[in-house]
Protein backbone atom coordinates (compact mmCIF):
# COMPACT_ATOMS: atom_id res chain seq x y z
CA UNK A 1 0.00 0.00 0.00
CA UNK A 2 1.15 3.54 -0.72
CA UNK A 3 2.04 5.87 2.14
CA UNK A 4 -0.73 8.29 3.10
CA UNK A 5 0.38 11.79 4.13
CA UNK A 6 -3.14 12.99 4.97
CA UNK A 7 -2.90 12.00 8.63
CA UNK A 8 0.44 13.81 9.00
CA UNK A 9 -1.22 16.98 7.73
CA UNK A 10 -4.16 16.32 10.04
CA UNK A 11 -1.82 16.20 13.04
CA UNK A 12 -0.22 19.52 12.06
CA UNK A 13 -3.62 21.14 11.54
CA UNK A 14 -4.90 19.92 14.90
CA UNK A 15 -1.76 21.26 16.59
CA UNK A 16 -2.23 24.66 14.96
CA UNK A 17 -5.96 24.71 15.79
CA UNK A 18 -5.17 23.86 19.43
CA UNK A 19 -2.74 26.77 19.91
CA UNK A 20 -5.04 29.21 18.10
CA UNK A 21 -8.03 28.12 20.17
CA UNK A 22 -6.20 28.08 23.50
CA UNK A 23 -4.55 31.45 22.87
CA UNK A 24 -7.83 33.03 21.88
CA UNK A 25 -9.54 31.55 24.96
CA UNK A 26 -7.21 33.59 27.16
CA UNK A 27 -8.02 36.72 25.12
CA UNK A 28 -11.74 35.95 25.49
CA UNK A 29 -11.54 35.73 29.27
CA UNK A 30 -9.88 39.15 29.41
CA UNK A 31 -12.33 40.57 26.88
CA UNK A 32 -15.32 39.22 28.77
CA UNK A 33 -14.42 41.19 31.87
CA UNK A 34 -13.55 44.31 29.87
CA UNK A 35 -16.91 44.34 28.08
CA UNK A 36 -18.95 43.03 31.04
CA UNK A 37 -20.31 40.44 28.59
CA UNK A 38 -21.58 37.22 30.08
CA UNK A 39 -21.89 35.84 26.56
CA UNK A 40 -18.17 36.30 25.88
CA UNK A 41 -17.19 34.80 29.25
CA UNK A 42 -19.50 31.84 28.62
CA UNK A 43 -17.98 31.39 25.18
CA UNK A 44 -14.52 31.52 26.75
CA UNK A 45 -15.43 28.65 29.05
CA UNK A 46 -16.81 26.75 26.09
CA UNK A 47 -13.63 27.45 24.11
CA UNK A 48 -11.57 26.16 27.03
CA UNK A 49 -13.40 22.86 26.67
CA UNK A 50 -12.77 23.00 22.92
CA UNK A 51 -9.06 23.54 23.58
CA UNK A 52 -8.93 20.46 25.80
CA UNK A 53 -10.69 18.46 23.08
CA UNK A 54 -8.33 19.77 20.39
CA UNK A 55 -5.33 18.91 22.56
CA UNK A 56 -6.68 15.39 23.02
CA UNK A 57 -7.37 15.04 19.29
CA UNK A 58 -3.84 16.25 18.48
CA UNK A 59 -2.34 13.73 20.93
CA UNK A 60 -4.42 10.83 19.59
CA UNK A 61 -3.68 11.71 15.94
CA UNK A 62 0.05 11.80 16.69
CA UNK A 63 -0.09 8.47 18.49
CA UNK A 64 -2.10 6.89 15.68
CA UNK A 65 0.43 8.11 13.09
CA UNK A 66 3.64 7.12 14.89
CA UNK A 67 2.65 3.83 16.49
CA UNK A 68 2.38 0.81 14.25
CA UNK A 69 1.05 -2.60 15.23
CA UNK A 70 2.13 -3.78 18.67
CA UNK A 71 1.62 -6.90 20.77
CA UNK A 72 -1.02 -4.99 22.71
CA UNK A 73 -2.77 -3.33 19.72
CA UNK A 74 -2.39 -5.59 16.68
CA UNK A 75 -4.02 -3.01 14.35
CA UNK A 76 -1.93 -0.15 15.74
CA UNK A 77 -3.45 3.00 17.24
CA UNK A 78 -5.64 4.09 14.31
CA UNK A 79 -8.80 3.11 16.22
CA UNK A 80 -7.90 5.65 18.90
CA UNK A 81 -9.24 8.27 16.48
CA UNK A 82 -12.74 6.95 17.18
CA UNK A 83 -12.09 7.32 20.90
CA UNK A 84 -11.03 10.91 20.30
CA UNK A 85 -14.14 11.57 18.21
CA UNK A 86 -16.34 10.12 20.97
CA UNK A 87 -14.74 12.18 23.74
CA UNK A 88 -14.83 15.35 21.64
CA UNK A 89 -18.51 14.81 20.84
CA UNK A 90 -19.39 14.32 24.49
CA UNK A 91 -17.43 17.45 25.49
CA UNK A 92 -19.13 19.49 22.77
CA UNK A 93 -22.58 18.27 23.80
CA UNK A 94 -21.84 19.07 27.46
CA UNK A 95 -20.54 22.53 26.53
CA UNK A 96 -23.61 23.19 24.39
CA UNK A 97 -25.91 22.24 27.24
CA UNK A 98 -24.07 24.73 29.44
CA UNK A 99 -24.43 27.48 26.80
CA UNK A 100 -28.17 26.75 26.54
CA UNK A 101 -28.45 27.08 30.33
CA UNK A 102 -26.64 30.43 30.26
CA UNK A 103 -28.74 31.67 27.32
CA UNK A 104 -31.99 30.83 29.12
CA UNK A 105 -30.75 32.71 32.19
CA UNK A 106 -30.02 35.75 30.07
CA UNK A 107 -33.44 35.56 28.47
CA UNK A 108 -34.87 36.03 31.95
CA UNK A 109 -32.41 38.71 33.03
CA UNK A 110 -30.81 40.56 30.06
CA UNK A 111 -27.68 42.57 30.90
CA UNK A 112 -26.14 45.63 29.24
CA UNK A 113 -22.76 45.16 27.59
CA UNK A 114 -20.11 47.33 25.90
CA UNK A 115 -21.08 46.69 22.28
CA UNK A 116 -18.12 48.61 20.78
CA UNK A 117 -15.56 46.27 22.32
CA UNK A 118 -17.82 43.33 21.43
CA UNK A 119 -17.53 44.21 17.73
CA UNK A 120 -13.74 44.15 17.91
CA UNK A 121 -13.62 40.83 19.76
CA UNK A 122 -16.20 39.36 17.37
CA UNK A 123 -14.10 40.24 14.30
CA UNK A 124 -10.99 38.78 15.95
CA UNK A 125 -12.97 35.68 16.94
CA UNK A 126 -14.29 35.05 13.41
CA UNK A 127 -10.80 35.46 11.90
CA UNK A 128 -8.96 33.27 14.44
CA UNK A 129 -11.51 30.47 14.64
CA UNK A 130 -12.34 30.69 10.94
CA UNK A 131 -8.70 30.12 10.01
CA UNK A 132 -8.44 27.17 12.41
CA UNK A 133 -11.68 25.67 11.07
CA UNK A 134 -10.42 26.02 7.49
CA UNK A 135 -7.15 24.23 8.32
CA UNK A 136 -8.97 21.27 9.88
CA UNK A 137 -11.89 21.11 7.42
CA UNK A 138 -10.08 18.83 4.97
CA UNK A 139 -9.67 16.00 7.50
CA UNK A 140 -11.23 12.66 6.60
CA UNK A 141 -11.39 10.86 9.94
CA UNK A 142 -14.31 11.22 12.35
CA UNK A 143 -11.91 12.79 14.81
CA UNK A 144 -11.17 15.60 12.33
CA UNK A 145 -14.85 16.04 11.49
CA UNK A 146 -15.90 16.38 15.12
CA UNK A 147 -13.12 18.92 15.71
CA UNK A 148 -14.39 20.83 12.68
CA UNK A 149 -17.80 21.06 14.36
CA UNK A 150 -16.08 22.46 17.47
CA UNK A 151 -14.48 25.23 15.44
CA UNK A 152 -17.56 25.84 13.29
CA UNK A 153 -19.55 26.41 16.45
CA UNK A 154 -17.01 29.03 17.54
CA UNK A 155 -17.12 30.81 14.17
CA UNK A 156 -20.93 30.92 14.11
CA UNK A 157 -20.98 32.00 17.73
CA UNK A 158 -18.76 34.98 16.97
CA UNK A 159 -20.83 35.87 13.92
CA UNK A 160 -23.83 36.00 16.25
CA UNK A 161 -21.91 38.20 18.70
CA UNK A 162 -20.92 40.52 15.85
CA UNK A 163 -24.54 40.85 14.61
CA UNK A 164 -25.84 41.49 18.09
CA UNK A 165 -23.09 44.02 18.80
CA UNK A 166 -23.97 45.97 15.64
CA UNK A 167 -27.68 46.01 16.55
CA UNK A 168 -26.88 47.08 20.12
CA UNK A 169 -25.15 50.14 18.72
CA UNK A 170 -28.60 51.41 17.76
CA UNK A 171 -31.10 49.49 19.93
CA UNK A 172 -31.02 48.20 23.50
CA UNK A 173 -32.34 44.79 22.47
CA UNK A 174 -30.08 42.77 24.76
CA UNK A 175 -32.40 39.77 24.53
CA UNK A 176 -31.13 39.14 20.96
CA UNK A 177 -27.85 37.77 22.31
CA UNK A 178 -29.33 34.71 24.11
CA UNK A 179 -31.84 34.11 21.29
CA UNK A 180 -29.05 33.86 18.69
CA UNK A 181 -26.92 31.77 21.04
CA UNK A 182 -29.77 29.28 21.46
CA UNK A 183 -30.33 28.98 17.71
CA UNK A 184 -26.67 28.42 16.89
CA UNK A 185 -26.13 25.96 19.75
CA UNK A 186 -29.16 23.89 18.74
CA UNK A 187 -27.86 23.78 15.17
CA UNK A 188 -24.45 22.58 16.34
CA UNK A 189 -26.05 19.96 18.58
CA UNK A 190 -27.91 18.64 15.56
CA UNK A 191 -24.67 18.27 13.62
CA UNK A 192 -22.68 16.76 16.46
CA UNK A 193 -25.55 14.36 17.17
CA UNK A 194 -25.05 12.87 13.72
CA UNK A 195 -21.30 12.57 14.25
CA UNK A 196 -21.83 10.97 17.64
CA UNK A 197 -24.20 8.44 16.09
CA UNK A 198 -21.62 7.61 13.38
CA UNK A 199 -18.87 7.23 15.98
CA UNK A 200 -20.90 4.88 18.16
CA UNK A 201 -21.90 2.88 15.06
CA UNK A 202 -18.25 2.33 14.14
CA UNK A 203 -17.17 1.65 17.73
CA UNK A 204 -19.78 -1.12 17.79
CA UNK A 205 -18.18 -2.43 14.56
CA UNK A 206 -21.13 -1.57 12.36
CA UNK A 207 -20.76 -1.69 8.58
CA UNK A 208 -19.27 1.65 7.40
CA UNK A 209 -21.63 4.10 5.72
CA UNK A 210 -21.76 3.77 1.94
CA UNK A 211 -20.51 0.19 1.94
CA UNK A 212 -23.03 -2.49 0.96
CA UNK A 213 -22.22 -5.94 2.38
CA UNK A 214 -24.40 -7.68 -0.19
CA UNK A 215 -22.55 -6.00 -3.07
CA UNK A 216 -19.19 -7.09 -1.66
CA UNK A 217 -20.47 -10.65 -1.21
CA UNK A 218 -21.88 -10.66 -4.74
CA UNK A 219 -18.50 -9.71 -6.19
CA UNK A 220 -16.75 -12.47 -4.23
CA UNK A 221 -19.30 -15.06 -5.32
CA UNK A 222 -18.54 -14.30 -8.97
CA UNK A 223 -14.94 -15.48 -8.53
CA UNK A 224 -14.34 -18.83 -10.26
CA UNK A 225 -14.43 -21.89 -7.96
CA UNK A 226 -16.16 -20.02 -5.09
CA UNK A 227 -19.31 -22.01 -4.24
CA UNK A 228 -20.40 -20.20 -1.06
CA UNK A 229 -19.36 -17.57 1.46
CA UNK A 230 -19.89 -17.46 5.22
CA UNK A 231 -18.55 -15.75 8.34
CA UNK A 232 -18.13 -12.50 6.38
CA UNK A 233 -17.48 -9.31 8.35
CA UNK A 234 -16.88 -5.70 7.35
CA UNK A 235 -15.96 -2.99 9.86
CA UNK A 236 -13.83 0.15 10.12
CA UNK A 237 -10.75 1.02 12.12
CA UNK A 238 -11.35 4.78 12.25
CA UNK A 239 -14.12 5.65 9.80
CA UNK A 240 -11.67 5.82 6.90
CA UNK A 241 -9.72 2.53 6.87
CA UNK A 242 -12.00 -0.51 6.48
CA UNK A 243 -11.43 -4.21 7.16
CA UNK A 244 -12.92 -7.27 5.41
CA UNK A 245 -12.77 -10.90 6.53
CA UNK A 246 -14.58 -13.88 4.99
CA UNK A 247 -14.56 -17.67 4.65
CA UNK A 248 -14.72 -18.78 1.00
CA UNK A 249 -15.80 -22.35 0.28
CA UNK A 250 -14.21 -23.62 -2.96
CA UNK A 251 -15.35 -26.25 -5.42
CA UNK A 252 -13.85 -28.15 -8.37
CA UNK A 253 -10.29 -27.67 -7.16
CA UNK A 254 -7.87 -30.18 -8.68
CA UNK A 255 -4.45 -28.71 -7.83
CA UNK A 256 -2.90 -26.26 -5.37
CA UNK A 257 -2.20 -23.47 -7.88
CA UNK A 258 -5.95 -22.99 -8.34
CA UNK A 259 -6.34 -22.15 -4.64
CA UNK A 260 -3.75 -19.38 -4.84
CA UNK A 261 -5.38 -18.11 -8.03
CA UNK A 262 -8.77 -17.89 -6.27
CA UNK A 263 -7.20 -15.93 -3.42
CA UNK A 264 -5.65 -13.39 -5.81
CA UNK A 265 -8.87 -12.99 -7.82
CA UNK A 266 -10.86 -12.55 -4.58
CA UNK A 267 -8.60 -9.67 -3.59
CA UNK A 268 -8.96 -8.11 -7.05
CA UNK A 269 -12.77 -8.46 -6.96
CA UNK A 270 -13.08 -6.10 -3.96
CA UNK A 271 -10.48 -3.51 -5.03
CA UNK A 272 -13.15 -0.88 -5.76
CA UNK A 273 -13.87 -0.60 -2.02
CA UNK A 274 -10.19 0.05 -1.22
CA UNK A 275 -10.07 -2.05 1.95
CA UNK A 276 -7.04 -1.31 4.10
CA UNK A 277 -6.97 -4.89 5.33
CA UNK A 278 -8.65 -8.09 4.17
CA UNK A 279 -8.34 -11.73 5.18
CA UNK A 280 -9.81 -14.67 3.27
CA UNK A 281 -9.93 -18.18 4.67
CA UNK A 282 -10.21 -20.63 1.78
CA UNK A 283 -11.94 -23.96 2.45
CA UNK A 284 -12.46 -26.95 0.15
CA UNK A 285 -16.01 -28.13 -0.35
CA UNK A 286 -15.29 -31.39 1.50
CA UNK A 287 -14.12 -29.59 4.63
CA UNK A 288 -16.39 -28.69 7.51
CA UNK A 289 -15.87 -25.26 9.04
CA UNK A 290 -16.83 -24.95 12.74
CA UNK A 291 -18.02 -21.40 12.02
CA UNK A 292 -20.93 -22.81 9.98
CA UNK A 293 -22.54 -24.06 13.18
CA UNK A 294 -23.15 -20.47 14.29
CA UNK A 295 -24.34 -19.23 10.87
Amino acid sequence: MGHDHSHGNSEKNLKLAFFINFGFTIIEIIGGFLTNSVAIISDALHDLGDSLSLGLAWYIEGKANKKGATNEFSFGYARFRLLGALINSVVLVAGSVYIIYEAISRLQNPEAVDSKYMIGFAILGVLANGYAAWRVSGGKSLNDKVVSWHLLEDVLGWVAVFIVAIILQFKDWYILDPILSLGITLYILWGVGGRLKDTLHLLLQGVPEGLNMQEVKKQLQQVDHVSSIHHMHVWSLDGEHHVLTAHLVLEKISHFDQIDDVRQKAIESVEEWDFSHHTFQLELDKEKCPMLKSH
Side-chain angles (χ1 to χ4, degrees), residues 46 88-98 150 185 189 192-193 196:
H46 186 68
N88 288 343
S89 295
V90 172
V91 169
L92 188 54
V93 169
S96 296
V97 170
Y98 174 77
H150 274 271
T185 304
L189 277 176
V192 173
L196 181 57

Side-chain angles (χ1 to χ4, degrees), residues 28 150 170 225:
E28 276 185 289
H150 274 271
F170 306 97
H225 301 293

Side-chain angles (χ1 to χ4, degrees), residues 44-276:
L45 294 175
H46 186 68
D47 275 355
L48 181 60
D50 285 355
S51 297
L52 294 176
S53 296
L54 284 165
L56 177 64
W58 170 29
Y59 171 77
I60 289 175
E61 195 69 29
K63 200 172 185 66
N65 289 337
K66 295 173 184 176
K67 289 280 188 179
T70 66
N71 291 330
E72 187 176 5
F73 298 102
S74 61
F75 277 100
Y77 287 77
R79 199 159 175 79
F80 276 56
R81 295 190 182 100
L82 289 181
L83 177 62
L86 177 63
I87 294 174
N88 288 343
S89 295
V90 172
V91 169
L92 188 54
V93 169
S96 296
V97 170
Y98 174 77
I99 295 298
I100 290 174
Y101 171 80
E102 288 295 322
I104 292 175
S105 298
R106 292 198 66 187
L107 280 173
Q108 298 171 341
N109 299 292
E111 296 184 15
V113 296
D114 190 331
S115 57
K116 291 182 181 179
Y117 281 107
M118 282 182 69
I119 293 174
F121 278 108
I123 294 173
L124 185 60
V126 170
L127 292 176
N129 288 285
Y131 178 70
W134 173 72
R135 288 298 299 265
V136 179
S137 62
K140 297 180 180 179
S141 72
L142 275 175
N143 195 24
D144 288 331
K145 292 175 182 178
V146 171
V147 168
S148 294
W149 275 105
H150 274 271
L151 297 171
L152 176 61
E153 180 185 32
D154 293 335
V155 172
L156 293 178
W158 281 111
V159 169
V161 172
F162 178 77
I163 294 173
V164 168
I166 292 294
I167 294 175
L168 291 179
Q169 288 287 301
F170 306 97
K171 299 287 184 178
D172 294 335
W173 295 345
Y174 300 118
I175 199 172
L176 289 179
D177 185 15
I179 290 175
L180 282 172
S181 297
L182 280 173
I184 292 170
T185 304
L186 290 174
Y187 169 73
I188 295 297
L189 277 176
W190 174 78
V192 173
R195 298 300 180 192
L196 181 57
K197 179 183 176 182
D198 292 342
T199 302
L200 291 174
H201 178 77
L202 293 178
L203 279 173
L204 295 173
Q205 294 189 323
V207 177
E209 182 181 358
L211 201 155
N212 190 314
M213 281 267 291
Q214 294 304 315
E215 287 296 323
V216 177
K217 189 173 184 178
K218 182 180 178 181
Q219 287 293 98
L220 288 172
Q221 286 179 327
Q222 291 178 357
V223 175
D224 291 340
H225 301 293
V226 174
S227 63
S228 64
I229 301 171
H230 61 272
H231 205 60
M232 177 174 163
H233 303 286
V234 175
W235 54 284
S236 183
L237 284 172
D238 58 2
E240 183 181 355
H241 300 92
H242 305 328
V243 178
L244 165 66
T245 62
H247 289 212
L248 309 182
V249 180
L250 310 185
E251 63 180 357
K252 300 178 181 178
I253 297 294
S254 58
H255 51 86
F256 181 79
D257 290 344
Q258 287 178 307
I259 297 177
D260 191 59
D261 186 55
V262 170
R263 179 191 61 81
Q264 186 58 43
K265 287 183 178 179
I267 293 174
E268 293 174 358
S269 71
V270 297
E271 281 184 347
E272 64 180 281
W273 288 281
D274 195 26
F275 288 105
S276 297

